[in-house]
Amino acid sequence: CLIQHIFTCSLLVSVPAVNKHKPWIETSYHGVITENTEVVLLDPPLVALDKDAPVPYAGEICAFTIHGMEAPFEAVVLNGTSGEGQLRARGLVDCEQQKEYTFIIQAHDCGSGPGGTEGKKSHKAVVHIQVNDVNEFAPVFREPQYHAAVTEGKIYDSILQVEATDQDCSPQYSQICNYQIITGNTPFAIDRNGNIRNTEKLSYDRQQQYEIQVTAWDCGQKRALHTVPVHIEVKPVCKPGWQGWSKRVDYEPGTGSKQLFPKMHLETCGGPLSSVRTTVELQTSHIGKGCDRETYSEKSLQKLCGASSGSTDLLPAPSSATNWTFWLLTDSGRDSDLIFRFEGRQAAKIPDWVVPQNLTDQFTIATWMKHGPSPGLRAEKETLLCNSDKTEMNRHHYSLYVHNCRLVFLLRTDFSSANSFRPAEFHWKLEQICDKEWHYYVLNVEFPVVTLYVDGASYEPYLVTDDWPIHPSQIDMQLTVGACWQGGEVTKPRFTQYFRGSLSGLTIRPGHIETQKVISCLQACKEGLDIHSLESLDKSIKFHFNPAQSILVMEGEDLDHINTALRKVSYINSRQFPTAGIRRLHISTSVQCFGEDTCISIPDIDAVVMVQQPSEPRITITGVERLSWPASDLRAPGGIALFQDLHIISTVKKADGTAQHHTGKLNVLEELIHNLDYCDVLVLGEELRAEQESLQLHRSALTGKHLDATNSTTGMSIYGVDSMSNYEQVIREVRYFNFEPSLVTERRFRLTCSELNGRYTSNEFTLEVSVLHSAQTGLAGEHVNHLVAPPQYMQLVHHPSIIQDMSPSVPSAATMVIVMCIAALVVVVVIGIYRIHITHQQDAKLSETTKDPDMTWDNAALNITVNPMETLEGPQGAEEDVTEEEEEEEDDEDEEEDDNTSGESDDSEEEADVQLPTAARQNNKNWHKAAVSF
């Protein structure tokens, strides 16, 4: 106010304007500007003073100027008289680009006039400006995602640290003040610095992987726009052992060798190892007889393996011909294996006609046996096979028994005339005898040497005792299985020394001993362990298989080589139709370390191989089902061929992947080639009369094939493992002979075939053979072929009284009976002709003969047709006429009638009637002359 007052007074007194002084401003200023605004708040405020005031112009402030650094600011004069000014930004100021500015500012007075001429400048003042930040940016994490791994069972102070940044320039807004896990129910926590820790011990078995979402806040409470995923993997506590293996391996039949552990490796937790030894064991004792073997019959297997012929099966399947095994306990639940179970009270007497009578000093006894120790009964002998006196005495000529888990073979039969002390008892002590597992035992007797083979390995007896041979006598002998027969020296003959265990395939082959090759073939397993791509196995790896290939031992010094070798271990099953089910695997490992007393222990592991169910084949037999042969052909040297048009095929159902339907894949039949092991031709009805008829097969038909045949009055059995085509060829050669065909009108046969000892069986193919006798032979070609589809002119009528009592019959038998009826009626026609000639010569009877207006007789060309199926339901008078004629002719034609009545019966007429088509009955009978002509 003082200055203004002075200035005003000077004007009043009209003092001339003189610019004597410079403007004055503070020496320094400090200012603050918020980014994205214009005005700078200065401290102190921007004010310039001039001592020349209130002199016009000279005492007024006209401008402020800024010098240096091209500062983005400008200073404007708000009031020139008062000298007030304001500092402003020329544009938007960004703190993130520059937080502070420093520059020089000066004030200018107006000088001597409005244009500021001769104006004076103030001293230079320093201006320092700070840009205040605005929280415009949200926190951003440095990584798009985070990963960490932890070991189970531990509490970590920090598993990992996440970090977020903020682009704001000020500490308040650029610093991250808080982190948070937004995933709920997780055993993790995070601190203000982003360190993640677990709040409880983690379990690998419970959960192997966690994923949590984390967010962040800056100190201005601005939250990150996007969360970050954190993956935490839980690893098991490092335990030495095999890793990367599956507990179950599925095996598809027919796929060959399959690797069991393609990704397996041994974890040693960094321990130094000098060598590793691993044993892989395939456990198959629950399958069949110890493993998956061919389940063909013993005879078929012996033929297949090239064994000597002539063996006698002492434990065959129960049947009408082999009924001595009927009362034994069988275990048929093992893939068609025929297993007999003995519980200490079962035994069987072998019929005399089965017992080999030509036993010499060279023979073979073979059997499958499963046996275990019997507590409390170890002192008792358990007899597998025994040949003893049937009556009077109690001498054992030869026997095979188990005593105290030792196998003993007794042989006291005198093969020579020498009366000398000689080896009689041969003892073997082996673990296999009482281990409750299946083993294959073969005794090769080449007296005085007896060799035992168990599962293909040979063993000599550890003890041989001598005895005197049994002297010849007239006492009959009894061969038994499962016990020994005590027929003499007791009040009541009985069995004794019962066997406890299981037997299968017990055979005796006199005159031959088996070779090691045949024995190995007979007991060979069709499944086992294998090494895939053996040639690629590292040479430093040592490996060894047991004979059955159920145990594999591998040893090496390099861990990587051992891992590679174990990945190559495979399972293989060479059977076309393997036994489905589980095979157990057991792997044990021992590790040797460098110079350490204690070494790591590798736990054993157990897995299973699941063999899938194979596709079940359907064996089908087709061919001609009805044959008619003249009786003379049956008597011919070659007989008649029964199955000339036979065909055997096998099919399986397969899913057709190309034929899609709205209901799924379609099943199509696919032909399958496999072997058969037997075909049986069974005689239906009455057995063959051995002195008159037989089935025959020339031995040349079996040449070059793995087939053999047995024959009896009940039929023929062709057995052996061979192809379906070879079976076809042999069966087509089966011929039927009958040296007295006049006694037979028909024969029926049934053919069935099998694969794997009855596991898969064919349909029952029935063949009917009709025998045409001499009176019928001339008409057979004319009539037999028309019986199935009779000509239109033939009237066929069923007899009502017969139909009521009828049971279903087979069509071909009816055909044969009809033909015989026709032949019999032909005889009646001949008799009728004879009678006609007589009545034609007698005028008295002529009128009676011509009462029927529908019949006209002509001697010049006489054609008579008789309906063989005409019923007797006509008028009563007609029945009486027929009866009178038959009674009058009875005496004269007895001989002719007798020749044609052997094949006639009421039952045959019934069978014929049921097979012929029914025709409408007509009273007016018109017979075509082509039916029967004389």
Side-chain angles (χ1 to χ4, degrees):
C1 293
L2 178 62
I3 294 173
Q4 186 174 4
H5 177 70
I6 295 172
F7 181 70
T8 305
C9 291
S10 65
L11 290 178
L12 292 174
V13 296
S14 301
V15 180
V18 178
N19 191 7
K20 295 180 179 181
H21 301 91
K22 295 180 181 178
W24 177 89
I25 59 174
E26 298 288 346
T27 57
S28 63
Y29 293 91
H30 293 275
V32 175
I33 184 173
T34 301
E35 61 178 345
N36 301 327
T37 62
E38 296 181 353
V39 180
V40 180
L41 300 177
L42 288 176
D43 181 27
L46 183 59
V47 176
L49 301 176
D50 196 326
K51 291 182 178 181
D52 292 330
V55 179
Y57 303 111
E60 295 179 1
I61 302 300
C62 282
F64 292 96
T65 59
I66 294 176
H67 304 281
M69 297 182 64
E70 297 182 356
F73 298 97
E74 62 181 2
V76 296
V77 178
L78 297 180
N79 190 329
T81 302
S82 62
E84 293 181 43
Q86 189 180 57
L87 192 63
R88 298 176 181 174
R90 293 198 299 266
L92 297 177
V93 180
D94 190 354
C95 178
E96 284 73 34
Q97 293 182 0
Q98 191 167 341
K99 296 181 180 181
E100 297 178 348
Y101 294 91
T102 302
F103 52 86
I104 302 298
I105 189 171
Q106 284 181 308
H108 296 260
D109 60 17
C110 295
S112 57
T117 58
E118 298 180 0
K120 292 186 180 294
K121 299 178 182 180
S122 69
H123 63 273
K124 295 180 180 178
V126 178
V127 180
H128 183 79
I129 297 176
Q130 179 179 350
V131 181
N132 282 348
D133 189 20
V134 175
N135 195 5
E136 57 184 331
F137 293 101
V140 176
F141 287 94
R142 290 187 180 275
E143 302 292 338
Q145 56 183 347
Y146 291 87
H147 294 271
V150 296
T151 302
E152 65 174 344
K154 296 175 62 178
I155 296 292
Y156 289 81
D157 293 333
S158 177
I159 296 174
L160 79 161
Q161 183 182 23
V162 297
E163 185 179 1
T165 60
D166 195 314
Q167 295 182 10
D168 290 314
C169 64
S170 64
Q172 179 182 1
Y173 298 137
S174 64
Q175 290 182 358
I176 307 300
C177 285
N178 191 25
Y179 291 92
Q180 182 181 3
I181 297 174
I182 63 174
T183 304
N185 299 323
T186 59
F188 300 98
I190 190 169
D191 62 15
R192 295 170 60 88
N193 296 321
N195 293 306
I196 298 176
R197 60 184 178 84
N198 57 318
T199 58
E200 62 183 52
K201 293 181 180 180
L202 305 179
S203 171
Y204 175 82
D205 294 333
R206 184 169 65 248
Q207 190 167 346
Q208 295 86 38
Q209 184 80 26
Y210 291 89
E211 179 179 336
I212 58 177
Q213 298 292 329
V214 177
T215 189
W217 277 270
D218 62 21
C219 293
Q221 294 303 305
K222 195 174 187 69
R223 179 179 171 175
L225 298 178
H226 303 286
T227 60
V228 65
V230 179
H231 301 276
I232 300 176
E233 180 185 359
V234 181
K235 291 185 175 181
V237 176
C238 185
K239 298 176 182 177
W242 292 103
Q243 296 183 3
W245 54 279
S246 299
K247 292 185 178 181
R248 168 172 168 162
V249 180
D250 289 332
Y251 181 80
E252 185 72 24
T255 55
S257 177
K258 182 170 183 176
Q259 289 177 260
L260 297 174
F261 315 108
K263 298 181 180 179
M264 188 167 74
H265 66 278
L266 182 61
E267 177 62 61
T268 61
C269 297
L273 307 178
S274 60
S275 66
V276 179
R277 178 185 175 91
T278 301
T279 302
V280 183
E281 182 181 0
L282 179 69
Q283 298 173 350
T284 60
S285 59
H286 61 291
I287 301 295
K289 297 191 288 286
C291 69
D292 207 1
R293 295 181 169 92
E294 296 292 6
T295 55
Y296 297 116
S297 65
E298 280 301 313
K299 282 191 175 182
S300 297
L301 279 176
Q302 290 167 3
K303 190 76 174 177
L304 185 65
C305 291
S308 304
S309 60
S311 67
T312 300
D313 190 356
L314 300 182
L315 288 175
S319 67
S320 58
T322 57
N323 56 6
W324 66 89
T325 60
F326 183 79
W327 299 108
L328 298 180
L329 298 177
T330 59
D331 184 0
S332 58
R334 295 183 178 269
D335 189 22
S336 300
D337 275 352
L338 185 60
I339 295 172
F340 292 91
R341 192 169 68 252
F342 297 85
E343 298 179 344
R345 53 181 179 271
Q346 296 87 16
K349 289 183 179 180
I350 310 300
D352 293 340
W353 61 271
V354 177
V355 178
Q357 301 297 328
N358 54 343
L359 207 62
T360 63
D361 59 352
Q362 189 179 64
F363 60 94
T364 299
I365 299 176
T367 186
W368 287 94
M369 182 177 74
K370 180 180 180 181
H371 180 264
S374 301
L377 301 173
R378 296 180 61 84
E380 184 178 345
K381 295 181 180 179
E382 299 178 49
T383 303
L384 286 74
L385 179 69
C386 180
N387 191 28
S388 59
D389 290 331
K390 184 177 292 188
T391 57
E392 299 182 27
M393 302 181 71
N394 189 28
R395 299 176 301 174
H396 294 185
H397 297 259
Y398 63 87
S399 66
L400 181 64
Y401 61 91
V402 175
H403 189 208
N404 289 334
C405 289
R406 292 167 174 80
L407 188 67
V408 181
F409 178 60
L410 171 68
L411 181 62
R412 297 187 64 197
T413 302
D414 188 6
F415 297 120
S416 64
S417 57
N419 189 12
S420 59
F421 212 53
R422 47 186 277 167
E425 278 191 347
F426 304 83
H427 300 248
W428 291 269
K429 184 179 180 180
L430 303 173
E431 293 180 358
Q432 296 93 319
I433 297 172
C434 285
D435 64 358
K436 297 183 180 180
E437 301 289 345
W438 279 104
H439 299 285
Y440 187 56
Y441 298 82
V442 176
L443 272 174
N444 270 348
V445 179
E446 199 169 15
F447 197 80
V449 177
V450 180
T451 305
L452 173 66
Y453 290 85
V454 181
D455 298 332
S458 62
Y459 299 90
E460 297 298 328
Y462 82 94
L463 175 65
V464 178
T465 59
D466 295 342
D467 201 348
W468 296 101
I470 292 179
H471 297 287
S473 67
Q474 300 300 319
I475 302 175
D476 293 333
M477 291 178 287
Q478 177 65 62
L479 183 62
T480 56
V481 174
C484 204
W485 180 251
Q486 189 172 1
E489 303 176 357
V490 289
T491 5
K492 183 180 179 181
R494 60 185 177 89
F495 285 110
T496 186
Q497 300 176 5
Y498 284 98
F499 177 70
R500 295 172 179 84
S502 297
L503 297 176
S504 179
L506 177 58
T507 61
I508 295 182
R509 179 177 291 102
H512 297 279
I513 60 172
E514 292 298 0
T515 64
Q516 177 106 28
K517 181 179 179 181
V518 171
I519 294 172
S520 299
C521 175
L522 289 171
Q523 61 88 38
C525 288
K526 295 299 181 179
E527 64 179 341
L529 298 174
D530 190 23
I531 298 179
H532 182 73
S533 185
L534 181 61
E535 64 278 358
S536 64
L537 194 66
D538 191 87
K539 294 182 180 179
S540 64
I541 299 297
K542 301 176 182 178
F543 66 93
H544 172 70
F545 284 102
N546 68 334
Q549 284 194 224
S550 61
I551 299 176
L552 169 62
V553 179
M554 283 188 167
E555 188 173 0
E557 298 178 355
D558 186 86
L559 183 59
D560 291 336
H561 290 165
I562 281 288
N563 288 335
T564 303
L566 262 292
R567 294 188 191 111
K568 294 179 179 292
V569 177
S570 305
Y571 169 80
I572 188 170
N573 195 316
S574 59
R575 292 189 66 191
Q576 189 172 12
F577 305 106
T579 303
I582 289 177
R583 276 72 164 164
R584 292 178 177 83
L585 290 167
H586 182 77
I587 301 177
S588 57
T589 306
S590 60
V591 175
Q592 186 174 353
C593 300
F594 289 102
E596 295 185 8
D597 296 337
T598 60
C599 198
I600 59 176
S601 176
I602 307 297
D604 294 352
I605 63 175
D606 293 288
V608 296
V609 177
M610 177 61 73
V611 179
Q612 303 296 319
Q613 187 72 35
S615 299
E616 185 171 340
R618 181 179 180 182
I619 307 170
T620 306
I621 304 175
T622 58
V624 177
E625 298 180 353
R626 306 174 189 173
L627 295 176
S628 297
W629 286 91
S632 57
D633 289 357
L634 272 64
R635 289 193 299 263
I640 61 170
L642 295 178
F643 305 101
Q644 281 188 324
D645 297 318
L646 181 79
H647 294 281
I648 305 175
I649 63 170
S650 181
T651 55
V652 292
K653 287 184 179 180
K654 295 285 186 180
D656 186 6
T658 61
Q660 294 290 338
H661 194 265
H662 68 278
T663 58
K665 292 184 178 180
L666 297 178
N667 287 330
V668 296
L669 288 179
E670 180 179 304
E671 187 168 352
L672 185 67
I673 303 300
H674 59 79
N675 291 328
L676 299 175
D677 60 349
Y678 70 79
C679 286
D680 288 339
V681 180
L682 179 65
V683 179
L684 299 181
E686 185 182 356
E687 293 185 7
L688 299 178
R689 301 176 180 89
E691 66 282 356
Q692 298 173 2
E693 53 185 340
S694 64
L695 291 174
Q696 295 188 17
L697 177 66
H698 200 278
R699 296 299 300 180
S700 61
L702 303 174
T703 305
K705 302 176 180 65
H706 295 290
L707 298 177
D708 208 339
T710 58
N711 199 359
S712 69
T713 57
T714 59
M716 177 179 291
S717 180
I718 301 167
Y719 62 91
V721 182
D722 214 327
S723 64
M724 289 185 289
S725 60
N726 280 350
Y727 265 93
E728 279 185 1
Q729 295 175 20
V730 172
I731 295 172
R732 288 172 184 171
E733 296 298 322
V734 174
R735 309 186 77 83
Y736 170 61
F737 292 80
N738 193 322
F739 303 104
E740 293 290 340
S742 60
L743 302 178
V744 178
T745 58
E746 68 167 358
R747 270 296 181 190
R748 298 170 61 208
F749 303 93
R750 177 181 296 159
L751 172 64
T752 55
C753 293
S754 156
E755 164 66 336
L756 298 177
N757 200 23
R759 179 177 175 184
Y760 304 115
T761 56
S762 70
N763 60 311
E764 295 182 347
F765 176 78
T766 303
L767 172 67
E768 298 184 359
V769 179
S770 300
V771 181
L772 305 181
H773 295 281
S774 57
Q776 306 167 249
T777 307
L779 301 172
E782 227 179 310
H783 290 279
V784 173
N785 293 334
H786 294 292
L787 286 176
V788 177
Q792 296 180 0
Y793 54 79
M794 184 177 290
Q795 303 295 325
L796 302 176
V797 182
H798 290 278
H799 198 295
S801 62
I802 296 178
I803 295 176
Q804 293 174 0
D805 299 328
M806 195 179 304
S807 60
S809 61
V810 182
S812 60
T815 303
M816 180 272 298
V817 175
I818 292 171
V819 174
M820 295 181 62
C821 292
I822 294 174
L825 290 172
V826 168
V827 177
V828 176
V829 172
V830 174
I831 297 172
I833 294 173
Y834 177 75
R835 292 283 299 163
I836 289 169
H837 280 285
I838 295 176
T839 56
H840 190 66
Q841 293 175 0
Q842 299 176 6
D843 294 337
K845 296 182 180 179
L846 181 58
S847 58
E848 183 181 353
T849 312
T850 58
K851 286 181 180 180
D852 189 353
D854 292 334
M855 301 181 64
T856 303
W857 300 100
D858 187 357
N859 286 337
L862 180 61
N863 292 301
I864 299 177
T865 304
V866 178
N867 184 354
M869 302 305 298
E870 176 61 37
T871 66
L872 302 178
E873 287 187 8
Q876 184 68 26
E879 293 183 7
E880 292 176 357
D881 290 343
V882 173
T883 305
E884 289 177 0
E885 288 183 4
E886 289 177 356
E887 289 176 352
E888 290 174 3
E889 315 283 341
E890 216 170 28
D891 297 333
D892 297 335
E893 306 299 336
D894 278 344
E895 183 179 354
E896 291 178 275
E897 288 182 2
D898 289 340
D899 292 339
N900 293 278
T901 55
S902 61
E904 297 178 13
S905 69
D906 292 340
D907 291 338
S908 298
E909 289 174 4
E910 290 174 15
E911 292 179 357
D913 288 338
V914 79
Q915 296 302 330
L916 293 174
T918 304
R921 183 126 168 245
Q922 298 179 5
N923 292 327
N924 186 15
K925 308 172 185 60
N926 298 318
W927 300 96
H928 196 283
K929 65 179 181 179
V932 182
S933 301
F934 295 93

